[in-house]
Amino acid sequence: MVSLELARHLASVSADLGRQVGVLLTRDGAVRNVVVGDAHKIEIPDVGRLRGGVGRFRGLRLVHTHLRGEPLTHDDLTDLALLRLDMVAKIDVEAGDAGGIEVAWLAPSPDGGSGEGAATYEDNFQRTSAPEVHRLDVDFEATMSALEEEMARIAGTAGEGTAGETGRERVLVVGITPDDEHFAETLELVRSAGVEVAGTVRQKRYKVHPKTVVGRGKLQEIVLEGMRRRAEVAIFDIDLKPAQARAFEDATGMKAIDRTQLILDIFAQRARSRDGKVQVELAQLKYSLPRLTEKDAGLSRLTGGIGGRGPGETVMEVGRRRIRDRIRALEKEVEKLSRQRDVRRRRRRDADLPILSIIGYTNAGKSTLLNALTESEVEAADKLFQTLDPTSRRLRFPREGEVIVTDTVGFLSDLPDDLVTAFRATLEELADADLLLHVVDASDPRFDDKLAAVEELVAQLDLGEIDRLVVLNKADRVPDAELAARERRHDAVAVSALHRQGLGRLIEAAETRLGRKAELAGAPR
Ligand SMILES: Nc1nc2c(ncn2[C@@H]2O[C@H](COP(=O)(O)OP(=O)(O)OP(=O)(O)O)[C@@H](O)[C@H]2O)c(=O)[nH]1
Ligand SMILES: [Mg+2]
């Protein structure tokens, strides 16, 4: 850990100065830094961000003096954790010479591997001490290699495997809001983004630290969890200010991804049409621009991995100015595409076919319903935001004749404004609908919330005037009595899109609504 000679030297200098004195030693025992504190504490200089080495130790240990024989402090242990130091040791200064020694290092699995985290703060660490430096019974090298092996083993058994095995990024999901449902949905989003949840950290109270998102204690917990579970990325269930994300990254060495970035990442993976790709890339660039630091030359932060995946063939390895140019070019393209879309919309209106637009919360079964109604094969999956691009299909109604049915991007509670703006163009088409089929997953425990969230967005998008028919989907999973009650309450039709049940009744109800609309307009179709 430390030679007796060095320990005695530190103690004597420390006694002369009346201050704590410390050294940062590399693995091979070389002095990397010398630090002088005051009588009670020592502040470690900026030892640089640990990039790409997350889950590993820094390869530096701190050996410093304590003037009053006090044990390792909370601050000492926090430094150990946040800076990922190999170990931290204090040497007592007794009559100008080295006295007792105490050493602490990280406990590989404070909970005995149950994955529940440390029961108490102290459980995160192992400590040992000796009345004299040369009597300390710690084999530094052996302890470190055992520790590193144990950490790798835990990381290997946590989740579905290591990144090396699955090739997927491992992330820590950080819940800032105490809302369980919100957190569960965040986990669903993370799953839909195709990354692996290596662990989770939650706060009990909703409190956002103005500077680093979470306070120092939580920061430490996140770093420890990240190390144990080999996660290099923290995904938050809220949006972060650019400066907060940066401060968090500087303090932890982990990459911070917020809720909007997470959703954009999913969108980037799903976009198929030119329209969708352009809108997503534009939103991503606009969102990341204020989040880039001067240090991010080459934009390493933007390239690769979650939050850094673009929808198109675009090169993200470009400078800030190039990003601005790219934003302008994309904005022009959005305009051009929107004109083309207008032409298409006009043509569709001229064809004078009634338009039924399927809307609803993400994963409600909108695409499955479109497929069931029109015998098509739009991709449907148990993932959030599977569909991004609107798709239209024709369908023959018994009385009304041909109608157009369109499927759209799903809605989400608290959809960030930036995303609503990004998709305003696509969603504008909804204004042409003669009837909105609002699909709700009837088996969802959050049924009422989701119904309300969609209604709220409908109002926000100025679609409130359009007639809506609520479709209670996934009826196969709900008891009949409950369905009947809900059908009455919401003037709705229950169906099972997957099992193609209730579709006749749905078509009938939709036709009636359309007929009513035509009557009101005074012109029978
Ligand atoms: N049990 C049951 N599952 C259904 C039903 N309809 C759809 N699903 C399932 O629900 C999941 C989501 O279906 P999608 O059609 O992709 O949902 P969506 O609303 O288009 O979702 P996004 O495009 O992601 O917003 C899929 O796994 C479907 O198989 C149904 O009637 N019953
Ligand atoms: Mg869909």
Side-chain angles (χ1 to χ4, degrees):
M1 184 69 202
V2 58
S3 69
L4 182 58
E5 189 193 353
L6 179 57
R8 297 185 67 172
H9 190 55
L10 286 174
S12 101
V13 174
S14 197
D16 285 351
L17 296 175
R19 293 162 181 264
Q20 293 191 1
V21 175
V23 285
L24 286 170
L25 301 178
T26 60
R27 283 277 163 100
D28 52 18
V31 175
R32 154 86 197 260
N33 300 73
V34 178
V35 201
V36 180
D38 60 23
H40 313 281
K41 62 177 192 307
I42 199 161
E43 252 167 58
I44 300 184
D46 186 359
V47 281
R49 252 170 89 165
L50 193 69
R51 271 187 186 268
V54 181
R56 262 163 270 140
F57 292 91
R58 195 176 291 264
L60 287 176
R61 59 186 187 270
L62 171 71
V63 178
H64 73 304
T65 55
H66 275 191
L67 295 173
R68 291 179 179 76
E70 66 273 28
L72 285 168
T73 63
H74 199 285
D75 279 346
D76 290 332
L77 296 179
T78 301
D79 282 340
L80 170 69
L82 277 186
L83 298 174
R84 299 151 202 260
L85 298 176
D86 294 342
M87 291 192 185
V88 55
K90 67 106 189 185
I91 292 162
D92 293 328
V93 180
E94 283 167 19
D97 202 354
I101 182 167
E102 184 184 14
V103 184
W105 62 91
L106 220 56
S109 53
D111 50 15
S114 72
E116 280 157 19
T120 70
Y121 179 77
E122 281 291 327
D123 290 344
N124 282 310
F125 307 99
Q126 286 179 6
R127 298 176 181 232
T128 187
S129 57
E132 282 170 78
V133 171
H134 66 274
R135 282 165 63 185
L136 183 73
D137 186 24
V138 174
D139 181 338
F140 174 73
E141 269 174 29
T143 309
M144 281 317 293
S145 65
L147 194 52
E148 280 173 334
E149 238 169 64
E150 178 66 4
M151 287 256 189
R153 196 189 60 76
I154 296 169
T157 53
E160 294 152 34
T162 61
E165 280 163 35
T166 61
R168 291 194 295 164
E169 228 173 334
R170 295 168 60 85
V171 304
L172 213 60
V173 183
V174 183
I176 301 294
T177 69
D179 180 348
D180 289 337
E181 300 290 356
H182 181 84
F183 191 68
E185 184 164 276
T186 305
L187 289 176
E188 275 299 294
L189 287 168
V190 172
R191 191 175 67 84
S192 299
V195 289
E196 195 171 315
V197 178
T200 58
V201 174
R202 292 192 65 182
Q203 267 192 175
K204 289 187 194 71
R205 277 186 308 142
Y206 191 5
K207 203 168 136 248
V208 183
H209 191 279
K211 231 182 121 202
T212 48
V213 197
V214 295
R216 219 170 143 73
K218 267 284 175 257
L219 273 184
Q220 179 180 317
E221 191 182 330
I222 290 169
V223 170
L224 292 176
E225 276 302 296
M227 282 185 85
R228 292 201 183 98
R229 303 184 184 277
R230 298 231 160 206
E232 309 189 3
V233 181
I235 298 185
F236 290 87
D237 66 343
I238 58 165
D239 279 336
L240 308 179
K241 295 199 185 79
Q244 284 175 326
R246 220 173 294 142
F248 174 86
E249 292 185 343
D250 283 339
T252 60
M254 296 173 85
K255 181 159 92 172
I257 295 290
D258 70 8
R259 188 170 132 99
T260 294
Q261 286 171 319
L262 172 61
I263 298 172
L264 279 171
D265 190 89
I266 300 172
F267 281 13
Q269 295 179 58
R270 302 280 194 276
R272 298 280 176 274
S273 71
R274 187 67 207 151
D275 243 334
K277 286 183 180 175
V278 170
Q279 286 171 46
V280 173
E281 192 186 342
L282 187 58
Q284 276 186 322
L285 291 179
K286 279 186 168 170
Y287 201 74
S288 56
L289 196 56
R291 288 171 167 73
L292 296 174
T293 55
E294 298 306 328
K295 279 187 288 181
D296 279 313
L299 303 191
S300 52
R301 196 180 172 286
L302 271 187
T303 55
I306 185 160
R309 297 182 282 208
E313 63 290 348
T314 335
V315 194
M316 294 271 243
E317 304 86 9
V318 286
R320 206 182 263 269
R321 213 179 61 229
R322 296 271 313 279
I323 291 190
R324 288 210 187 87
D325 291 346
R326 178 87 191 138
I327 287 178
R328 264 192 294 278
L330 287 170
E331 275 171 341
K332 275 208 193 102
E333 191 169 354
V334 165
E335 239 170 75
K336 198 181 87 198
L337 288 169
S338 125
R339 277 198 299 275
Q340 288 173 4
R341 211 167 29 226
D342 278 347
V343 173
R344 277 205 305 274
R345 281 171 70 179
R346 213 169 307 133
R347 240 186 259 140
R348 207 183 284 157
R349 269 194 306 246
D350 290 349
D352 209 25
L353 298 180
I355 299 171
L356 273 70
S357 288
I358 303 178
I359 60 165
Y361 211 84
T362 184
N363 215 34
K366 300 178 294 299
S367 301
T368 310
L369 181 65
L370 178 80
N371 289 341
L373 285 172
T374 66
E375 312 279 322
S376 28
E377 282 171 19
V378 174
E379 264 178 79
D382 190 14
K383 285 183 182 163
L384 306 192
F385 297 116
Q386 178 64 30
T387 310
L388 199 63
D389 303 310
T391 315
S392 298
R393 293 281 184 276
R394 289 190 176 208
L395 168 66
R396 183 161 285 284
F397 269 16
R399 279 180 284 131
E400 289 283 325
E402 275 207 325
V403 298
I404 293 171
V405 186
T406 66
D407 181 18
T408 43
V409 57
F411 292 179
L412 191 77
S413 322
D414 314 312
L415 202 60
D417 283 345
D418 293 293
L419 293 179
V420 178
T421 310
F423 283 83
R424 198 164 270 276
T426 316
L427 295 169
E428 261 169 17
E429 292 195 33
L430 289 174
D432 295 336
D434 296 283
L435 179 64
L436 297 176
L437 295 179
H438 177 173
V439 180
V440 204
D441 178 349
S443 68
D444 195 313
R446 286 174 66 202
F447 176 88
D448 290 312
D449 288 346
K450 290 185 172 178
L451 194 85
V454 171
E455 282 298 323
E456 208 170 285
L457 263 161
V458 163
Q460 203 181 327
L461 292 165
D462 294 326
L463 302 169
E465 298 287 292
I466 305 175
D467 194 14
R468 288 184 292 290
L469 175 59
V470 175
V471 182
L472 303 172
N473 190 31
K474 311 197 185 180
D476 50 289
R477 291 194 192 156
V478 183
D480 286 343
E482 198 172 314
L483 274 179
R486 281 202 189 147
E487 274 190 325
R488 278 193 302 276
R489 182 164 0 123
H490 299 286
D491 199 6
V493 184
V495 302
S496 170
L498 191 64
H499 301 296
R500 318 216 158 186
Q501 286 158 357
L503 299 180
R505 283 177 64 220
L506 172 60
I507 288 176
E508 207 174 290
E511 256 192 327
T512 307
R513 296 284 186 101
L514 283 177
R516 205 192 298 159
K517 183 185 176 201
E519 251 168 52
L520 285 176
R525 285 197 186 264

